[in-house]
């Protein structure tokens, strides 16, 4: 806990954008949930104690549209994922749900005059700053490097990292954003849709074209822990309204 208040001292606003999203599957729910929740509460407490006016916290559509299955009707900021349904979420989704809920509960009980807004991005794509990139980029990387033999029936609402950065700055500065949740995402893309875009924009790249049957994906999960962790996503459409 040491150093948090000193770090916040002199700040008018704070962006809390970090939360664990590993490329490898966590061994336990506790590897993601307590760090996400407790990290958010440490930032909020330090910000309040330092007299910060507003905190903008990065949540996720993981906190909006999971634990309830897929649907055609877009999810909105009024929707909350259900962390108790482990058939339709992983440790990552639960970490984002629990952390954002904890932040809003803390703000109501202990936040005083400090304001809070949250941003819920979809799968964030776009330019990377280096080799240490987010797990979302793996969606594109695997289509480009040949590590996917075909196209599983997975999909996500997508957003450009530059738009999400802009949304965070707007939430910091707009007088109407205090107390609000904002979904930051555009259209829902199946992996086959993403492959179509890459094929059009990079005509010399060898992008897979074959759509994998669901039974093939389920079979591969016996040998690939990463696929096994995400099987609950198979065939589920989760559009959002932004």
């Amino acid at each position: 806990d040491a150093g948090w208040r000193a770090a916040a001292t002199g700040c008018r606003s704070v962006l809390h954008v970090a939360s664990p999203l590993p490329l490898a599957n966590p061994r336990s729910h506790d590897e993601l949930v307590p760090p996400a929740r407790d990290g958010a509460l440490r930032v909020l407490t330090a910000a309040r104690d330092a007299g910060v006016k507003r905190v903008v916290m990065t949540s996720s559509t993981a906190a909006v549209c999971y634990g309830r299955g897929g649907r055609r009707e877009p999810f909105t900021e009024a929707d909350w994922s259900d962390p108790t349904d482990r058939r339709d979420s992983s440790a990552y989704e639960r970490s984002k749900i629990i952390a954002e809920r904890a932040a809003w509960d803390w703000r109501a009980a202990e936040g005083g005059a400090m304001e809070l807004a949250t941003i819920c991005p979809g799968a964030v794509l776009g330019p990377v700053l280096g080799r240490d990139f987010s797990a979302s980029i793996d969606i594109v990387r695997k289509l480009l490097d040949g590590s996917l033999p075909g196209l599983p029936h997975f999909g996500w609402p997508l957003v450009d990292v530059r738009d999400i950065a802009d949304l965070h700055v707007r939430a910091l500065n707009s007088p109407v954003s205090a107390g609000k949740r904002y979904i930051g995402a555009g259209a829902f893309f199946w992996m086959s849709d993403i492959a179509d875009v890459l094929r059009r924009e990079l005509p010399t790249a060898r992008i897979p074209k074959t759509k994998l049957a669901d039974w093939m994906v389920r079979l591969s999960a016996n040998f690939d822990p990463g696929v096994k962790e995400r099987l609950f996503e198979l065939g589920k459409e989760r559009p959002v309204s932004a």
Side-chain angles (χ1 to χ4, degrees):
D1 291 328
W4 288 89
R5 183 171 180 176
T9 297
C11 295
R12 178 179 62 87
S13 305
V14 169
L15 288 170
H16 175 48
V17 299
S19 184
L21 175 53
L23 290 172
N25 295 323
R27 292 186 299 273
S28 164
H29 168 97
D30 290 339
E31 288 186 30
L32 292 185
V33 175
R37 179 195 61 223
D38 298 347
L41 296 181
R42 285 188 177 96
V43 170
L44 290 168
T45 301
R48 179 203 59 196
D49 292 348
V52 166
K53 175 175 171 43
R54 181 178 299 175
V55 173
V56 176
M57 172 179 162
T58 310
S59 183
S60 171
T61 52
V64 174
C65 49
Y66 285 79
R68 306 187 186 282
R71 72 187 197 195
R72 290 291 182 88
E73 178 188 355
F75 290 87
T76 74
E77 287 88 349
D79 291 304
W80 284 88
S81 298
D82 180 2
T84 67
D85 186 350
R86 297 201 171 196
R87 298 168 302 175
D88 193 42
S89 66
S90 71
Y92 172 69
E93 282 79 30
R94 294 190 291 275
S95 75
K96 300 303 287 189
I97 303 160
I98 291 168
E100 190 186 352
R101 281 286 197 191
W104 285 114
D105 290 345
W106 180 94
R107 164 65 190 84
E110 304 182 42
M114 191 182 74
E115 300 167 345
L116 175 65
T118 58
I119 308 295
C120 300
V124 181
L125 304 179
V128 299
L129 298 179
R131 293 184 179 275
D132 185 19
F133 47 74
S134 75
S136 297
I137 297 298
D138 247 24
I139 299 168
V140 173
R141 184 183 66 81
K142 288 184 175 182
L143 289 171
L144 292 173
D145 68 9
S147 58
L148 279 177
L151 302 168
H153 200 203
F154 292 130
W156 309 268
L158 303 182
V159 65
D160 190 292
V161 65
R162 292 161 291 192
D163 292 329
I164 284 298
D166 179 64
L167 181 55
H168 279 73
V169 173
R170 290 171 184 263
L172 272 183
N173 296 319
S174 171
V176 301
S177 63
K180 302 286 182 62
R181 285 178 104 198
Y182 294 100
I183 290 175
F188 183 93
F189 277 66
W190 294 110
M191 190 166 277
S192 58
D193 299 324
I194 299 172
D196 288 343
V197 173
L198 292 175
R199 203 176 296 111
R200 184 172 66 246
E201 297 297 323
L202 303 168
T204 61
R206 300 184 65 179
I207 310 296
K209 296 181 179 179
T210 304
K211 294 181 180 180
L212 297 178
D214 288 354
W215 69 265
M216 295 178 68
V217 180
R218 295 184 188 281
L219 181 63
S220 72
N222 293 317
F223 311 100
D224 187 333
V227 173
K228 185 176 182 179
E229 176 75 8
R230 306 308 301 179
L231 273 182
F232 70 89
E233 293 261 41
L234 198 58
K236 291 180 181 175
E237 188 174 2
R238 305 180 202 265
V240 296
S241 175

